[in-house]
Amino acid sequence: QVRLVESGGGLVQSGGSLRLSCKASGYSFDHFPIGWFRQAPGKEREGVSCLSSGGRSTYYRDSVKGRFTISRDRATNTVYLQMDNLKPEDTAVYYCATDFESNGNCLNPGASYQWDYWGQGTQVIVSS
């Protein structure tokens, strides 16, 4: 009954912006980490940004630091990823995920495959 539903993807030009959203339901939102992963064509899924349980820590992979911002709205059980200054290399399917066992660092090796629950993904295409 855990459910994560992403939205907000689309086609944008290089340098443009998008805001992704992930609506969570079916579990205690604040008790577990939540984050964003992405998978580009022909590449492995990788962690992008995440919040540890309770938002105690925030993580960003180096390639998106200064461009992406993660936030959450506890009133609506929604996590957002504001993506600014998008680059063609950001093109990927973006997934929202949560995990009931880890410390919430989505950048740890194996996190892209070990987190427990995943949304269906939303596609982001950045044209040059």
Side-chain angles (χ1 to χ4, degrees):
Q1 61 190 33
V2 173
R3 188 170 178 85
L4 302 168
V5 180
E6 305 98 329
S7 62
L11 174 64
V12 298
Q13 290 185 308
S14 181
S17 297
L18 286 172
R19 189 179 74 157
L20 307 183
S21 64
C22 172
K23 173 68 175 177
S25 60
Y27 72 102
S28 185
F29 183 66
D30 285 335
H31 288 178
F32 304 102
I34 193 163
W36 293 93
F37 298 76
R38 67 186 181 188
Q39 188 166 22
K43 294 188 175 182
E44 298 290 322
R45 188 160 61 196
E46 62 184 18
V48 178
S49 182
C50 47
L51 296 166
S52 65
S53 58
R56 298 178 185 90
S57 299
T58 306
Y59 303 92
Y60 296 96
R61 71 180 302 106
D62 287 344
S63 62
V64 308
K65 287 180 179 177
R67 300 190 297 119
F68 290 11
T69 304
I70 191 170
S71 62
R72 72 170 73 190
D73 184 345
R74 292 177 173 84
T76 60
N77 289 354
T78 303
V79 63
Y80 301 95
L81 187 68
Q82 177 67 43
M83 305 186 295
D84 297 320
N85 192 23
L86 283 160
K87 303 176 180 180
E89 50 263 45
D90 296 316
T91 295
V93 176
Y94 284 71
Y95 297 90
C96 178
T98 190
D99 187 59
F100 289 3
E101 294 88 30
S102 79
N103 63 5
N105 187 349
C106 57
L107 308 182
N108 285 341
S112 296
Y113 301 95
Q114 295 170 0
W115 280 32
D116 293 329
Y117 299 100
W118 297 81
Q120 83 289 347
T122 185
Q123 188 171 26
V124 172
I125 300 175
V126 184
S127 62
S128 59

